Amino acid sequence: MENNFSLDLALIPKELKLILEIIKIEDVERFQANSSDWFKDIDWKLFLELAIHHRVYPILSLKIKKFDVNLIPPNVIQILNLTYRKNTLQMLHLSSVMVEICKIFNDNQIKLLVLKGPILGEDLYGDVSKRTSGDLDVLIPIDDLAKVEELLIQLGYEKDDYIQTVLNDWTWRHHHVTYFHPQKNIKLEIHWRLNPGPGKEPPFIELWKRKRVSALTSYPVYYLGREDLFLFLVSHGARHGWSRLRWLIDIKQLVKQNINWVSLAKLLKKHQFLNVAGQAIVLCSQLLSISITKEMKPLIKGKHPKMLAQAAIFYLERMVNLHTDPVPADISKYHKRHLTSLMSRQQRIFFIISFLYPYPEDAETLPLPEYLHFLYFPLRPFLWAWRKTKSHAIS
């Protein structure tokens, strides 16, 4: 790392530091011979909470099987083993549903790329049980959304129709819609973009050309090429502040594979993700001890990736769950600033310009017939100012 750069990890709980040390273990005997200080005064309840929050209990369960019995309390080992077994069943269930969805979509001439779920367990870890997943995420061409919705409803899925829209802003402000199957207890996210807009990303047709076939099942299941998967995983993890260690471990596992770093750098530069890729590499290097190869160095060049990596430590100093409302005000405020800092200059320009495009709130403030919705463009500044004035008056 340039200039002996080190992240400030002083405020990370010692329980999480222990988890990181266990994850990094290559030689168990050597670790145990020098580990006495790591296990002093550990709050094992917090240790378990962090293991579950960061979705790393499968890895921990497998690692501690090789430990001396006196290092970790038996009840902690028991709980980790139980959650590991439950996760194995969950991943097998998701695998069967994934194949079912792929077959049905293929029979209806709908191209589908699996983004996450069991397919990453097999590809990155060699075993679906070693990675957790609460749902299935798949990517399809946006033109097939209506057809997909009809199919899923026929299969018993129910749509979580939470998206409000005006002038079709959903097509770029959002990136997926969620369906739930009450009998199968499966959540399925149908993506038409890798990330919410505005912003550049590879179009579906390019991703499809570079697709791979999973070795997980005999039925052909398609997923992202390595470089596209890297772009997707770093952009997803960065957008969530790397608030779960599992996302960083995914990157650690991915960089062990035969990535074409020259092609990857071009892809990241084209779509304005060089800084977030650098952030991920720095975090993996400092927290998970990956070796920085010559090919990786262009991604971490300069101060910005390191500044972004340090900023992400905020999320590891506390258990941040950005998916559970309400998000505490201080965390929400920090996260908004952090998301802005991740953007390139071009992305920030797109982001600022996007504010000029009408929001659903404008239609709520001043309902107009659909054929007059174009008026929300010139009216938007006034409607925004009216809402601000009204909210200040109430407060």
Side-chain angles (χ1 to χ4, degrees):
M1 191 69 64
E2 293 177 8
N3 302 321
N4 297 317
F5 172 81
S6 294
L7 292 171
D8 181 359
L9 310 178
L11 297 181
I12 291 181
K14 58 185 176 182
E15 289 77 11
L16 187 57
K17 289 179 180 177
L18 174 59
I19 287 172
L20 285 166
E21 289 302 309
I22 294 173
I23 289 171
K24 290 187 292 186
I25 291 176
E26 298 293 340
D27 186 333
V28 173
E29 290 186 6
R30 184 177 180 183
F31 173 75
Q32 289 184 148
N34 301 280
S35 65
S36 57
D37 290 342
W38 282 111
F39 292 89
K40 285 182 179 178
D41 303 319
I42 290 295
D43 180 340
W44 291 107
K45 182 175 182 292
L46 178 58
F47 178 91
L48 284 171
E49 289 175 356
L50 287 165
I52 292 170
H53 169 78
H54 287 285
R55 307 294 194 264
V56 294
Y57 48 85
I59 297 175
L60 293 179
S61 177
L62 294 171
K63 293 272 189 180
I64 63 174
K65 283 182 178 179
K66 303 173 184 177
F67 279 22
D68 289 340
V69 293
N70 297 324
L71 282 177
I72 300 177
N75 68 304
V76 174
I77 296 174
Q78 185 179 17
I79 292 171
L80 287 174
N81 288 338
L82 178 62
T83 52
Y84 171 70
R85 288 196 293 270
K86 286 183 176 178
N87 179 65
T88 300
L89 294 174
Q90 164 75 356
M91 295 300 275
L92 291 173
H93 179 44
L94 283 173
S95 297
S96 67
V97 174
M98 176 185 70
V99 172
E100 177 190 35
I101 292 294
C102 288
K103 285 181 177 178
I104 292 170
F105 279 39
N106 184 55
D107 289 345
N108 286 272
Q109 292 78 50
I110 298 170
K111 292 184 173 72
L112 176 148
L113 291 168
V114 178
L115 295 176
K116 292 187 290 180
I119 209 164
L120 289 191
E122 190 280 329
D123 181 56
L124 300 180
Y125 302 85
D127 187 333
V128 296
S129 69
K130 293 182 180 180
R131 188 184 188 275
T132 67
S133 186
D135 53 25
L136 287 172
D137 295 70
V138 302
L139 181 72
I140 66 167
I142 191 170
D143 292 340
D144 288 330
L145 274 175
K147 189 176 181 180
V148 165
E149 179 169 335
E150 184 179 345
L151 278 174
L152 292 177
I153 290 173
Q154 289 174 5
L155 293 170
Y157 285 85
E158 299 172 356
K159 185 179 180 181
D160 183 4
D161 209 358
Y162 62 90
I163 295 178
Q164 295 180 309
T165 185
V166 63
L167 293 165
N168 286 326
D169 69 331
W170 64 271
T171 60
W172 56 272
R173 279 202 168 114
H174 297 273
H175 65 303
H176 68 75
V177 64
T178 302
Y179 293 86
F180 183 75
H181 199 294
Q183 282 74 46
K184 295 180 180 180
N185 195 29
I186 287 288
K187 187 170 78 168
L188 175 63
E189 289 190 356
I190 303 293
H191 292 242
W192 57 91
R193 289 177 55 93
L194 297 177
N195 297 290
K200 294 171 61 180
E201 64 176 42
F204 184 90
I205 190 170
E206 286 186 15
L207 298 174
W208 183 257
K209 287 178 181 178
R210 298 192 289 261
K211 69 183 182 297
R212 290 180 287 167
V213 183
S214 173
L216 179 59
T217 69
S218 57
Y219 187 84
V221 175
Y222 302 115
Y223 68 119
L224 296 173
R226 284 194 180 91
E227 292 73 31
D228 292 319
L229 181 60
F230 186 95
L231 182 150
F232 171 61
L233 291 180
V234 297
S235 58
H236 176 271
R239 194 172 74 249
H240 292 86
W242 301 105
S243 52
R244 296 198 197 281
L245 280 178
R246 182 191 64 191
W247 297 324
L248 277 177
I249 299 171
D250 286 346
I251 302 302
K252 177 183 178 180
Q253 295 300 113
L254 183 54
V255 298
K256 293 178 182 178
Q257 297 187 357
N258 187 25
I259 291 177
N260 185 326
W261 290 97
V262 175
S263 296
L264 176 60
K266 291 178 180 178
L267 184 70
L268 294 168
K269 184 177 181 180
K270 178 179 179 181
H271 299 289
Q272 309 287 312
F273 286 116
L274 277 173
N275 285 330
V276 296
Q279 178 195 43
I281 296 295
V282 172
L283 287 168
C284 283
S285 170
Q286 301 264 322
L287 299 176
L288 299 171
S289 298
I290 71 164
S291 299
I292 302 293
T293 64
K294 179 181 178 181
E295 293 81 9
M296 295 180 195
K297 286 185 178 179
L299 301 183
I300 61 171
K301 186 178 180 181
K303 296 180 179 179
H304 201 182
K306 301 170 186 64
M307 291 170 58
L308 293 178
Q310 183 61 60
I313 298 302
F314 169 90
Y315 301 89
L316 300 181
E317 293 169 350
R318 46 191 63 73
M319 280 191 283
V320 174
N321 191 341
L322 298 170
H323 294 292
T324 301
D325 291 326
V327 177
D330 61 326
I331 292 175
S332 179
K333 185 177 181 180
Y334 183 93
H335 189 59
K336 287 179 181 178
R337 291 201 307 268
H338 186 60
L339 288 178
T340 303
S341 70
L342 293 172
M343 297 178 188
S344 66
R345 184 179 292 116
Q346 186 181 92
Q347 286 170 331
R348 290 187 191 190
I349 292 171
F350 285 157
F351 183 65
I352 292 169
I353 291 173
S354 74
F355 283 111
L356 301 177
Y357 199 97
Y359 279 77
E361 291 89 338
D362 298 322
E364 292 176 5
T365 304
L366 180 64
L368 292 173
E370 189 170 350
Y371 69 90
L372 292 178
H373 279 187
F374 70 92
L375 292 175
Y376 288 128
F377 281 100
L379 289 172
R380 170 148 176 71
F382 304 101
L383 295 173
W384 176 84
W386 168 254
R387 285 195 299 274
K388 286 294 181 182
T389 302
K390 193 174 180 181
S391 64
H392 287 319
I394 294 173
S395 60

